[in-house]
Amino acid sequence: MLLCSSKFRLSLGNAIKAIPEGQASGCIKQLSTDIMESLDWIKCGHQLKTEKSNKCDSLQFRLRAELLGKVLSEVYIIILDSITVTSGNSYLLGVSLTNLLEIIRPGLSNLVSSQEICVLVDGVTLSKTTGCDNVSICWILVVFFRLILSYRSLFRQTIRLVAPRESEKMSLVMSDSLTIRPASDWLEMAGSFGEDLFSSIIQPPTTVLDVIHSVLDICTQDSVVLCPPLVWVLNAVALQRLVELNLLIRSSEYKLQWKDADDSSCRKWGKRVTRMRNEAVGLTKFMMESLSSIYKDQIFAPSFGGGIDKSFSVGSFEEKSLAYALWWTNCQHVDIWCSHAAKKDLKKFLTLVIQASISYINEDNCHSTTNKPIHLEKVTAYQIALEFLSNTISYEQRFVCRYMASSFCKILQMSVSSIFATSGVDLSESPDWIKVISEVEKLSDVQIGGFLWRKPDMVPAENGNEQINVEFAKCQRLLTLLVQMPEEYLSLESSSLYITYILNLERLLVSSLLEWRSESCSHNPYQIFRLLVTCRKVLPTLALASGKVNVIGSSKCSLPLPWLLKSLSAVIGVQNTFPEDNAFEAKVAIFSMLHYTSYAWLLASKDQFHHEIGSILSDRKLRRKRKNLKPGTVEPDISECNLQSVLQLTDTLDENMHKSLTTFKDEFLHKGCQDLNKLSSTIACFQGLLWGLASTLDNKSFRMKLSNNTEMMTRINSSVHSCMNFISFLIKASFLEDQPSGKMVSSGTKGVLMKCNLEEQSCPAISDLEAFLSQVQHQKLCLKKSLLMQIFRGENAEASFFLGQLFIACSAVVRLNMQIDLTSIPWNLFAIVVDIAQFLLLEFSRSEEMPHQFTFFWLDGAVKFLEELGSYFPRFDPSLSREFYSKMIGLHLKVMGKCISLEKKEAKLDNQGKSCISLETSRLDEFKERLRMSFRKYMEKKSSELHLLSVIVAVERALVGEQEGVMANYEIVCGGSNGGEVSSFVAGGIDCLDSILELLLTGSKHLEGTIKEHIQNLVACLFNVILHLQGPTIFYDYVESIKAYERPDSGSVVLMCVEILTKISRNPFFFKKGACHMVQCLRVPGALFQYLLQLQIVKISSDIGTSKCAFDRKFSVELYAISCRMLCTAIKNHGSETRDCIALLEDSVSVLLHCLETVNVHHVDGRESFAWEVQEAVKCASCLRRVYEEVRQQKDFFKEHSFKFLSRYIWVYCGFGPAGNGLIREVDEALKPGVYALLDMCSADNELQNLHTVFGEGPCRSTLAALRNDYENNFQYTGKV
């Protein structure tokens, strides 16, 4: 039906909203007339049916009633809901709405007065006795009830805006005297209780709950809903009444707190509050029963199609769509009804929410748990539940936090029981982990990869295992749901319960994975492993949440670290048994398992270190207090320290290291990945433990107390030393050429080295940092470049992850040494690590392709290591370390520039508000942010002036395109056939300059002197880059270029330069710019957008707009916004300098205004393809409006020039601009506040008179007069309220 379509309803609503406010009351009058005519039409149909009493006339009457309830009522409601209420039309609207009520009231006056439902239509009674069937009565009730709801909503808006006396009169009409009265008057009011939706309509007065129960009797027959729209309307009525009751109850209870309990009025209102609560409970019970009676199990089933339109039509509801609508309504308004619901209803509702959120299962053998895309037109039960669970407001309801854990775990237990029917394991029990680990070790002794798995075995039988596949997918979705929950609403008890269930599930999965070849196991092992990885992914999230909640650091939620290590080691080689078509996914899953386990180790060890070192502090303070010891008195040592339980884990890791090394073969890089992944698992756990300790020692008091504990320091030093020996051996054996021939040392030699306790492998430790500095600057190592290039290209994924873990482990040791001065640090090893990192990062900066996703494994680790190394430069002698320092800064610039080149048009100075279009860009954004953090670390507060000067000089040289060690002297190319270009090194300098400025603006005062000395040169360099790159090609996105990643996108580089110049202009206290620089700031917006204006107006040449490039509207809008911001900043902070260059300001503003003329309204190609869409043009107009408003704010400088801006606007508005199109209505409305601000500056005698003279007779003068009239009526402040 046309009238029920969403497009028609939207168009009708927009048309009503566009009605002038003075005509709103007339619209209500016409609506009232139409309603009267419709009711008369219904009456005639009923009379005709009564007179002839044949089936044809009965059918005609039913069709009339259905048409009125399904279609016409929808139009009436849209009109009432779209009327705009203002203070000017509120009184007249109130009069019109009062007349409307007089039309509605008679129809329901005797609704429940007799034994049956009776409706009066123009004096004629419609009931079952008079021959009217229930369905027809239901449709007529839909009309009346919906009109009442919309009428009350609109009438309340009117009451709030009319004068106080009139509001009291109007409230009596609606029987809503409590809304306009303060709570202090309620206690003295008599008979006010009971005023509700129908109190002024139905006689004798009855409650909403009674009306609902009476109507519900004719709406349902034998559990079949005769009129689904009426059920929804009754729920809407109940919900509206609950809103009123909640307001009354809370306000009454608050007021009763300040009254004497013995007061008679208080006792009366106390009883009334009780009655209101009972009514609210009854209404909530009705809503829950409505949902339960219509709810069917199939609504959440994957095969249950359909959904509900976001802008649904009530009249078109069927039983299925009604279920969706009620589900959506209850989820959206849970805060209204949940406080009155019974405990069992709340639990049932929450269980339904969880079941609905996991109801979508992907069709590809249930292997994917990716969220189903949310369509624009339809909303399913799955999407509604997912929105509920991802909304933080939902968790503010007490019942959600209270029952979520138990409901979730109950569903998880059921799914697991369906998968492992024979196990009979209760997931709520806490197992004996020593026994569990022992059993896993026995099972893991049998080699998993004994034979390959044949393809037919991979796919389960359709009749036997289809349901198991579904349960696997449900478990995946359940666990993913935990990750999506807001961490701040996870309590300590719920986190503990979740962890217990998930660890028990892990135990089942590991056992099943190790026994998959037995005849009794028919599960798909790839599904088992994916579910295990998901479990491991959830554990760090829960550990992090419990750590935030549990401030005291109780071990109640601590993870069993030995189990995490042993289970990882047991299943690490399982990927060799998967078929080839799952090989890539299996690799990703293995690496995810390693990463999540490492992170879990970090969080759990950090929590235990924090708790146990904190216990030492609290115990000693307590003993000192009890024994009244003086601060200098020797304290008794605590022999039994809980810290031993954590450090004992290092023994397990040492044992794992030695076991891994015994299986380390010469050809491990060529024959397989099992041994290498096992090494990665050990390093991942060890580096997690070290980072947990390092994170704990960020607390200064913990660090000092641990340094004073000799026993603990000895143990920590021993563990770190053992770890470094292990890492040193692996790095030298894997990545260094031991002999000139390139051959590695034989395995026998390695066995001898391992036998010698591995302590000789560390080589003599370099005692001071200067020796390390000398070695790292002058050593020439023979790296295995072929292997490193394989890692760089992503051809050896296992080695990539292995190297990344080595980098992170080394960075943890470097951090620990900075915190507690470890006694033995192999600085010669770190020199090797620096060399490897430099080699790989330089290769990355020279690459011309998007890196493989496995490349980010070592990229993150390498930059993390360089970041930790940067904190040591304040300890170095600046004169000795300057060369190495400059090399590190140059490396950061090159890598940052390459990241900008890879991002193309998406490159920004920061990632806020940036949309990641793929996994690669998301990982690239994360890496880029880590790179920024590393760069900032090299400019710490303790850095020497010589080092800081090196940074500024390096950035300045980068901005002019001068790169040390490169033959090309100038890497900035002026515009040619392809436009201007810069190298990635220049783009890296721009981004790093922004990081330096951010450090200064956020409180790093040590940079102030150095920056002020060079700010003029840096600003000049930025203008130089813009000058070379400006041209039409900055607005294009080259999508098919062969060398798309070779150089950064010129438009993105220009955008970054403009952002930095705006930031500098915004802070004149720190950055003093010259007058010539202010001239350039005012000129840049006009100079850039004159090229876009040419594209919009001039005929496009054939060599532009080819298939290799496309106009990037999103980028052009961003550049327009930042250009307007640059002008606003200049006007605000440099008023006098801007006034001296007013001609440049006028020119730039004119160009920006002219760009708004061409808007792609009709979505055509050709010249219009270079124009913005309407919403984009409106956004740009809003930015330009801020320029006009800023000119008004600085009227002391620009008052005499205001008419010039105004005249240009009027010329363009009247169609005399370059394009000759004028401004469309939406753009003009966005500009109007700024134009009014300009008018506010103009005086009638001078500026406006000049405009009249310039315009002469014609449309411009008429436009000016209309503007003045609108300004005086809608904008000008007259001193009156």
Side-chain angles (χ1 to χ4, degrees), residues 3 29 65 146 199 226 329 393 473 532 546 565 644 662 743 832 851 1016 1029 1044 1050 1090 1223 1235 1259 1265:
L3 296 179
K29 291 179 182 179
R146 295 194 70 189
S199 59
L226 300 179
T329 302
I393 298 178
L532 178 61
S546 62
L565 174 63
Q644 298 287 348
T662 55
K743 297 181 181 179
I832 300 173
Q1016 300 286 342
L1029 296 183
S1050 57
Q1090 68 180 355
L1223 300 175
V1235 177

Side-chain angles (χ1 to χ4, degrees), residues 976-1242:
S977 60
N978 294 325
E981 292 181 345
V982 297
S983 68
S984 60
F985 189 63
V986 177
I990 296 172
D991 196 289
C992 291
L993 174 59
D994 179 70
S995 297
I996 295 173
L997 298 180
E998 281 296 324
L999 278 175
L1000 176 59
L1001 296 175
T1002 53
S1004 299
K1005 303 298 183 183
H1006 64 290
L1007 292 168
E1008 184 175 345
T1010 309
I1011 291 293
K1012 286 185 176 180
E1013 292 178 4
H1014 294 79
I1015 191 63
Q1016 300 286 342
N1017 295 337
L1018 294 171
V1019 170
C1021 293
L1022 294 174
F1023 283 124
N1024 179 62
V1025 173
I1026 295 176
L1027 178 64
H1028 282 75
L1029 296 183
Q1030 63 185 11
T1033 54
I1034 66 174
F1035 297 101
Y1036 290 102
D1037 185 16
Y1038 292 85
V1039 294
E1040 296 181 8
S1041 176
I1042 298 176
K1043 297 183 178 181
Y1045 300 117
E1046 182 180 0
R1047 289 181 177 270
D1049 182 84
S1050 57
S1052 297
V1053 174
V1054 169
L1055 180 64
M1056 292 191 294
C1057 290
V1058 176
E1059 287 187 26
I1060 294 178
L1061 289 171
T1062 305
K1063 186 178 298 183
I1064 292 174
S1065 296
R1066 196 183 299 124
N1067 298 275
F1069 176 77
F1070 290 110
F1071 315 119
K1072 302 294 183 182
K1073 294 197 299 184
C1076 62
H1077 294 156
M1078 285 308 307
V1079 171
Q1080 293 297 327
C1081 280
L1082 297 176
R1083 180 186 173 278
V1084 163
L1088 294 176
F1089 278 90
Q1090 68 180 355
Y1091 296 102
L1092 177 61
L1093 195 59
Q1094 293 174 7
L1095 294 175
Q1096 293 177 342
I1097 297 174
V1098 183
K1099 184 177 180 180
I1100 307 303
S1101 59
S1102 58
D1103 59 337
I1104 297 179
T1106 62
S1107 60
K1108 293 183 179 180
C1109 62
F1111 175 61
D1112 195 328
R1113 293 200 307 270
K1114 178 185 175 183
F1115 166 78
S1116 63
V1117 172
E1118 292 175 352
L1119 184 59
Y1120 192 100
I1122 191 61
S1123 297
C1124 291
R1125 202 175 307 138
M1126 171 186 272
L1127 294 179
C1128 288
T1129 304
I1131 295 170
K1132 180 178 181 180
N1133 298 299
H1134 307 275
S1136 60
E1137 294 90 342
T1138 305
R1139 180 185 56 189
D1140 296 338
C1141 309
I1142 189 64
L1144 291 174
L1145 177 62
E1146 292 173 9
D1147 180 65
S1148 288
V1149 172
S1150 297
V1151 173
L1152 293 174
L1153 179 63
H1154 294 158
C1155 291
L1156 298 176
E1157 286 189 86
T1158 307
V1159 180
N1160 197 1
V1161 179
H1162 304 293
H1163 306 282
V1164 297
D1165 296 328
R1167 194 171 68 183
E1168 299 292 334
S1169 63
F1170 295 95
W1172 292 308
E1173 301 293 339
V1174 175
Q1175 292 302 320
E1176 295 168 339
V1178 168
K1179 182 178 180 180
C1180 292
S1182 301
C1183 297
L1184 185 58
R1185 180 200 71 201
R1186 287 289 302 119
V1187 178
Y1188 290 149
E1189 292 172 341
E1190 196 59 52
V1191 171
R1192 165 65 180 82
Q1193 292 296 325
Q1194 307 298 325
K1195 62 180 180 179
D1196 294 339
F1197 295 107
F1198 302 103
K1199 181 176 176 57
E1200 60 185 13
H1201 303 286
S1202 59
F1203 74 97
K1204 300 175 184 178
F1205 297 98
L1206 189 59
S1207 65
R1208 177 55 59 182
Y1209 163 77
I1210 294 176
W1211 277 105
V1212 173
Y1213 178 82
C1214 294
F1216 298 120
N1221 298 330
L1223 300 175
I1224 65 173
R1225 179 175 59 86
E1226 293 85 353
V1227 172
D1228 186 58
E1229 288 179 355
L1231 276 175
K1232 273 293 172 61
V1235 177
Y1236 290 151
L1238 293 176
L1239 268 173
D1240 195 50
M1241 295 175 63
C1242 299

